[in-house]
PDB file of all heavy atoms in Angstrom:
ATOM      1  N   LEU A  40      67.113 135.324  85.731  1.00  0.00           N
ATOM      2  CA  LEU A  40      66.475 136.225  84.775  1.00  0.00           C
ATOM      3  C   LEU A  40      65.647 135.401  83.796  1.00  0.00           C
ATOM      4  O   LEU A  40      66.139 134.428  83.218  1.00  0.00           O
ATOM      5  CB  LEU A  40      67.544 137.007  84.008  1.00  0.00           C
ATOM      6  CG  LEU A  40      67.052 137.967  82.935  1.00  0.00           C
ATOM      7  CD1 LEU A  40      66.365 139.174  83.566  1.00  0.00           C
ATOM      8  CD2 LEU A  40      68.209 138.423  82.066  1.00  0.00           C
ATOM      9  N   LEU A  42      63.177 135.887  80.384  1.00  0.00           N
ATOM     10  CA  LEU A  42      62.798 136.810  79.314  1.00  0.00           C
ATOM     11  C   LEU A  42      61.544 136.305  78.612  1.00  0.00           C
ATOM     12  O   LEU A  42      61.483 135.144  78.189  1.00  0.00           O
ATOM     13  CB  LEU A  42      63.943 136.942  78.314  1.00  0.00           C
ATOM     14  CG  LEU A  42      65.284 137.374  78.911  1.00  0.00           C
ATOM     15  CD1 LEU A  42      66.389 137.291  77.862  1.00  0.00           C
ATOM     16  CD2 LEU A  42      65.190 138.770  79.488  1.00  0.00           C
ATOM     17  N   ILE A  47      62.802 138.330  74.547  1.00  0.00           N
ATOM     18  CA  ILE A  47      63.536 137.130  74.127  1.00  0.00           C
ATOM     19  C   ILE A  47      64.555 137.440  73.040  1.00  0.00           C
ATOM     20  O   ILE A  47      65.526 136.713  72.882  1.00  0.00           O
ATOM     21  CB  ILE A  47      62.580 135.997  73.686  1.00  0.00           C
ATOM     22  CG1 ILE A  47      61.608 136.430  72.587  1.00  0.00           C
ATOM     23  CG2 ILE A  47      61.795 135.472  74.872  1.00  0.00           C
ATOM     24  CD1 ILE A  47      62.046 136.107  71.222  1.00  0.00           C
ATOM     25  N   ALA A  49      66.745 139.493  73.094  1.00  0.00           N
ATOM     26  CA  ALA A  49      68.022 139.841  73.734  1.00  0.00           C
ATOM     27  C   ALA A  49      69.020 138.692  73.665  1.00  0.00           C
ATOM     28  O   ALA A  49      70.230 138.920  73.717  1.00  0.00           O
ATOM     29  CB  ALA A  49      67.795 140.244  75.189  1.00  0.00           C
ATOM     30  N   VAL A  50      68.548 137.458  73.538  1.00  0.00           N
ATOM     31  CA  VAL A  50      69.456 136.306  73.533  1.00  0.00           C
ATOM     32  C   VAL A  50      70.066 136.040  72.165  1.00  0.00           C
ATOM     33  O   VAL A  50      70.904 135.149  72.025  1.00  0.00           O
ATOM     34  CB  VAL A  50      68.777 135.027  74.079  1.00  0.00           C
ATOM     35  CG1 VAL A  50      68.266 135.238  75.491  1.00  0.00           C
ATOM     36  CG2 VAL A  50      67.682 134.540  73.154  1.00  0.00           C
ATOM     37  N   LEU A  51      69.678 136.815  71.158  1.00  0.00           N
ATOM     38  CA  LEU A  51      70.271 136.653  69.834  1.00  0.00           C
ATOM     39  C   LEU A  51      71.641 137.326  69.819  1.00  0.00           C
ATOM     40  O   LEU A  51      71.757 138.508  70.148  1.00  0.00           O
ATOM     41  CB  LEU A  51      69.355 137.260  68.765  1.00  0.00           C
ATOM     42  CG  LEU A  51      67.951 136.662  68.694  1.00  0.00           C
ATOM     43  CD1 LEU A  51      67.107 137.409  67.673  1.00  0.00           C
ATOM     44  CD2 LEU A  51      67.989 135.173  68.399  1.00  0.00           C
ATOM     45  N   ILE A  62      73.647 144.776  75.361  1.00  0.00           N
ATOM     46  CA  ILE A  62      72.889 143.797  76.135  1.00  0.00           C
ATOM     47  C   ILE A  62      73.599 142.442  76.170  1.00  0.00           C
ATOM     48  O   ILE A  62      73.628 141.786  77.212  1.00  0.00           O
ATOM     49  CB  ILE A  62      71.454 143.661  75.583  1.00  0.00           C
ATOM     50  CG1 ILE A  62      70.668 144.964  75.782  1.00  0.00           C
ATOM     51  CG2 ILE A  62      70.725 142.476  76.206  1.00  0.00           C
ATOM     52  CD1 ILE A  62      70.447 145.381  77.214  1.00  0.00           C
ATOM     53  N   GLN A  63      74.200 142.021  75.057  1.00  0.00           N
ATOM     54  CA  GLN A  63      74.901 140.732  75.050  1.00  0.00           C
ATOM     55  C   GLN A  63      76.006 140.725  76.098  1.00  0.00           C
ATOM     56  O   GLN A  63      76.150 139.773  76.858  1.00  0.00           O
ATOM     57  CB  GLN A  63      75.474 140.420  73.676  1.00  0.00           C
ATOM     58  CG  GLN A  63      76.237 139.097  73.673  1.00  0.00           C
ATOM     59  CD  GLN A  63      76.686 138.646  72.299  1.00  0.00           C
ATOM     60  OE1 GLN A  63      76.252 139.176  71.282  1.00  0.00           O
ATOM     61  NE2 GLN A  63      77.555 137.649  72.275  1.00  0.00           N
ATOM     62  N   LEU A  66      74.455 140.401  79.522  1.00  0.00           N
ATOM     63  CA  LEU A  66      73.989 139.032  79.776  1.00  0.00           C
ATOM     64  C   LEU A  66      75.166 138.105  80.070  1.00  0.00           C
ATOM     65  O   LEU A  66      75.078 137.247  80.958  1.00  0.00           O
ATOM     66  CB  LEU A  66      73.200 138.509  78.573  1.00  0.00           C
ATOM     67  CG  LEU A  66      71.783 139.041  78.405  1.00  0.00           C
ATOM     68  CD1 LEU A  66      71.211 138.623  77.057  1.00  0.00           C
ATOM     69  CD2 LEU A  66      70.879 138.576  79.534  1.00  0.00           C
ATOM     70  N   GLU A  67      76.263 138.281  79.351  1.00  0.00           N
ATOM     71  CA  GLU A  67      77.449 137.454  79.587  1.00  0.00           C
ATOM     72  C   GLU A  67      78.033 137.700  80.975  1.00  0.00           C
ATOM     73  O   GLU A  67      78.500 136.769  81.628  1.00  0.00           O
ATOM     74  CB  GLU A  67      78.476 137.691  78.487  1.00  0.00           C
ATOM     75  CG  GLU A  67      78.026 137.106  77.149  1.00  0.00           C
ATOM     76  CD  GLU A  67      78.867 137.539  75.962  1.00  0.00           C
ATOM     77  OE1 GLU A  67      79.644 138.514  76.065  1.00  0.00           O
ATOM     78  OE2 GLU A  67      78.730 136.897  74.887  1.00  0.00           O
ATOM     79  N   ILE A  70      75.713 135.880  83.424  1.00  0.00           N
ATOM     80  CA  ILE A  70      75.955 134.437  83.370  1.00  0.00           C
ATOM     81  C   ILE A  70      77.271 134.089  84.065  1.00  0.00           C
ATOM     82  O   ILE A  70      77.359 133.097  84.800  1.00  0.00           O
ATOM     83  CB  ILE A  70      75.919 133.945  81.912  1.00  0.00           C
ATOM     84  CG1 ILE A  70      74.487 134.062  81.364  1.00  0.00           C
ATOM     85  CG2 ILE A  70      76.447 132.518  81.791  1.00  0.00           C
ATOM     86  CD1 ILE A  70      74.384 133.974  79.855  1.00  0.00           C
ATOM     87  N   SER A  74      74.387 133.507  87.459  1.00  0.00           N
ATOM     88  CA  SER A  74      72.938 133.654  87.327  1.00  0.00           C
ATOM     89  C   SER A  74      72.474 132.770  86.179  1.00  0.00           C
ATOM     90  O   SER A  74      73.218 132.538  85.229  1.00  0.00           O
ATOM     91  CB  SER A  74      72.558 135.102  87.009  1.00  0.00           C
ATOM     92  OG  SER A  74      72.672 135.901  88.147  1.00  0.00           O
ATOM     93  N   GLU A  75      71.249 132.298  86.288  1.00  0.00           N
ATOM     94  CA  GLU A  75      70.652 131.561  85.189  1.00  0.00           C
ATOM     95  C   GLU A  75      69.818 132.520  84.359  1.00  0.00           C
ATOM     96  O   GLU A  75      69.113 133.373  84.902  1.00  0.00           O
ATOM     97  CB  GLU A  75      69.777 130.421  85.708  1.00  0.00           C
ATOM     98  CG  GLU A  75      70.578 129.319  86.366  1.00  0.00           C
ATOM     99  CD  GLU A  75      69.685 128.177  86.804  1.00  0.00           C
ATOM    100  OE1 GLU A  75      69.055 127.544  85.922  1.00  0.00           O
ATOM    101  OE2 GLU A  75      69.616 127.930  88.016  1.00  0.00           O
ATOM    102  N   VAL A  76      69.911 132.377  83.037  1.00  0.00           N
ATOM    103  CA  VAL A  76      69.135 133.190  82.113  1.00  0.00           C
ATOM    104  C   VAL A  76      68.323 132.242  81.243  1.00  0.00           C
ATOM    105  O   VAL A  76      68.891 131.407  80.536  1.00  0.00           O
ATOM    106  CB  VAL A  76      70.044 134.086  81.232  1.00  0.00           C
ATOM    107  CG1 VAL A  76      69.208 134.832  80.202  1.00  0.00           C
ATOM    108  CG2 VAL A  76      70.857 135.046  82.099  1.00  0.00           C
ATOM    109  N   LYS A  77      67.005 132.370  81.344  1.00  0.00           N
ATOM    110  CA  LYS A  77      66.117 131.544  80.529  1.00  0.00           C
ATOM    111  C   LYS A  77      65.197 132.453  79.724  1.00  0.00           C
ATOM    112  O   LYS A  77      64.916 133.581  80.120  1.00  0.00           O
ATOM    113  CB  LYS A  77      65.284 130.605  81.404  1.00  0.00           C
ATOM    114  CG  LYS A  77      66.130 129.558  82.116  1.00  0.00           C
ATOM    115  CD  LYS A  77      65.280 128.574  82.885  1.00  0.00           C
ATOM    116  CE  LYS A  77      66.167 127.528  83.572  1.00  0.00           C
ATOM    117  NZ  LYS A  77      65.362 126.500  84.254  1.00  0.00           N
ATOM    118  N   PHE A  78      64.733 131.922  78.593  1.00  0.00           N
ATOM    119  CA  PHE A  78      63.834 132.687  77.744  1.00  0.00           C
ATOM    120  C   PHE A  78      62.701 131.783  77.281  1.00  0.00           C
ATOM    121  O   PHE A  78      62.858 130.561  77.167  1.00  0.00           O
ATOM    122  CB  PHE A  78      64.568 133.309  76.553  1.00  0.00           C
ATOM    123  CG  PHE A  78      65.300 132.319  75.696  1.00  0.00           C
ATOM    124  CD1 PHE A  78      64.699 131.779  74.574  1.00  0.00           C
ATOM    125  CD2 PHE A  78      66.591 131.928  76.014  1.00  0.00           C
ATOM    126  CE1 PHE A  78      65.371 130.867  73.778  1.00  0.00           C
ATOM    127  CE2 PHE A  78      67.280 131.020  75.226  1.00  0.00           C
ATOM    128  CZ  PHE A  78      66.669 130.477  74.102  1.00  0.00           C
ATOM    129  N   SER A  92      70.697 130.800  66.523  1.00  0.00           N
ATOM    130  CA  SER A  92      71.582 130.563  67.658  1.00  0.00           C
ATOM    131  C   SER A  92      71.330 131.618  68.730  1.00  0.00           C
ATOM    132  O   SER A  92      70.827 132.707  68.445  1.00  0.00           O
ATOM    133  CB  SER A  92      73.038 130.580  67.215  1.00  0.00           C
ATOM    134  OG  SER A  92      73.387 131.858  66.726  1.00  0.00           O
ATOM    135  N   VAL A  93      71.677 131.260  69.946  1.00  0.00           N
ATOM    136  CA  VAL A  93      71.497 132.174  71.080  1.00  0.00           C
ATOM    137  C   VAL A  93      72.818 132.340  71.817  1.00  0.00           C
ATOM    138  O   VAL A  93      73.743 131.541  71.650  1.00  0.00           O
ATOM    139  CB  VAL A  93      70.391 131.687  72.045  1.00  0.00           C
ATOM    140  CG1 VAL A  93      69.048 131.585  71.331  1.00  0.00           C
ATOM    141  CG2 VAL A  93      70.754 130.373  72.706  1.00  0.00           C
ATOM    142  N   ILE A  94      72.885 133.357  72.638  1.00  0.00           N
ATOM    143  CA  ILE A  94      74.081 133.615  73.443  1.00  0.00           C
ATOM    144  C   ILE A  94      74.341 132.412  74.343  1.00  0.00           C
ATOM    145  O   ILE A  94      73.416 131.891  74.984  1.00  0.00           O
ATOM    146  CB  ILE A  94      73.885 134.895  74.282  1.00  0.00           C
ATOM    147  CG1 ILE A  94      73.736 136.108  73.357  1.00  0.00           C
ATOM    148  CG2 ILE A  94      75.031 135.088  75.268  1.00  0.00           C
ATOM    149  CD1 ILE A  94      73.258 137.364  74.055  1.00  0.00           C
ATOM    150  N   GLN A  95      75.592 131.978  74.376  1.00  0.00           N
ATOM    151  CA  GLN A  95      75.963 130.823  75.186  1.00  0.00           C
ATOM    152  C   GLN A  95      75.607 131.065  76.648  1.00  0.00           C
ATOM    153  O   GLN A  95      75.900 132.118  77.211  1.00  0.00           O
ATOM    154  CB  GLN A  95      77.461 130.558  75.060  1.00  0.00           C
ATOM    155  CG  GLN A  95      77.891 129.291  75.750  1.00  0.00           C
ATOM    156  CD  GLN A  95      79.355 128.978  75.488  1.00  0.00           C
ATOM    157  OE1 GLN A  95      80.049 129.658  74.745  1.00  0.00           O
ATOM    158  NE2 GLN A  95      79.831 127.924  76.114  1.00  0.00           N
ATOM    159  N   GLY A  96      74.963 130.077  77.249  1.00  0.00           N
ATOM    160  CA  GLY A  96      74.562 130.177  78.646  1.00  0.00           C
ATOM    161  C   GLY A  96      73.101 130.543  78.828  1.00  0.00           C
ATOM    162  O   GLY A  96      72.566 130.417  79.921  1.00  0.00           O
ATOM    163  N   CYS A  97      72.441 130.966  77.759  1.00  0.00           N
ATOM    164  CA  CYS A  97      71.009 131.266  77.806  1.00  0.00           C
ATOM    165  C   CYS A  97      70.250 130.002  77.410  1.00  0.00           C
ATOM    166  O   CYS A  97      70.647 129.309  76.487  1.00  0.00           O
ATOM    167  CB  CYS A  97      70.653 132.407  76.863  1.00  0.00           C
ATOM    168  SG  CYS A  97      71.444 133.972  77.282  1.00  0.00           S
ATOM    169  N   GLU A  98      69.167 129.720  78.107  1.00  0.00           N
ATOM    170  CA  GLU A  98      68.465 128.455  77.917  1.00  0.00           C
ATOM    171  C   GLU A  98      66.988 128.680  77.584  1.00  0.00           C
ATOM    172  O   GLU A  98      66.306 129.447  78.276  1.00  0.00           O
ATOM    173  CB  GLU A  98      68.573 127.640  79.207  1.00  0.00           C
ATOM    174  CG  GLU A  98      67.859 126.329  79.205  1.00  0.00           C
ATOM    175  CD  GLU A  98      67.916 125.634  80.559  1.00  0.00           C
ATOM    176  OE1 GLU A  98      68.785 125.961  81.389  1.00  0.00           O
ATOM    177  OE2 GLU A  98      67.061 124.760  80.790  1.00  0.00           O
ATOM    178  N   MET A  99      66.500 127.998  76.564  1.00  0.00           N
ATOM    179  CA  MET A  99      65.075 128.044  76.236  1.00  0.00           C
ATOM    180  C   MET A  99      64.304 127.331  77.344  1.00  0.00           C
ATOM    181  O   MET A  99      64.751 126.297  77.853  1.00  0.00           O
ATOM    182  CB  MET A  99      64.802 127.391  74.886  1.00  0.00           C
ATOM    183  CG  MET A  99      63.382 127.620  74.409  1.00  0.00           C
ATOM    184  SD  MET A  99      63.016 126.886  72.796  1.00  0.00           S
ATOM    185  CE  MET A  99      64.149 127.761  71.739  1.00  0.00           C
ATOM    186  N   ALA A 100      63.144 127.879  77.709  1.00  0.00           N
ATOM    187  CA  ALA A 100      62.384 127.329  78.821  1.00  0.00           C
ATOM    188  C   ALA A 100      60.884 127.442  78.544  1.00  0.00           C
ATOM    189  O   ALA A 100      60.468 127.948  77.502  1.00  0.00           O
ATOM    190  CB  ALA A 100      62.756 128.059  80.105  1.00  0.00           C
TER     191      ALA A 100
END
Side-chain angles (χ1 to χ4, degrees):
L40 178 71
L42 304 172
I47 55 95
V50 302
L51 301 176
I62 294 297
Q63 178 173 347
L66 284 170
E67 289 169 345
I70 292 164
S74 285
E75 292 183 63
V76 175
K77 294 185 179 184
F78 56 94
S92 64
V93 300
I94 296 168
Q95 186 174 357
C97 297
E98 178 185 341
M99 189 179 298

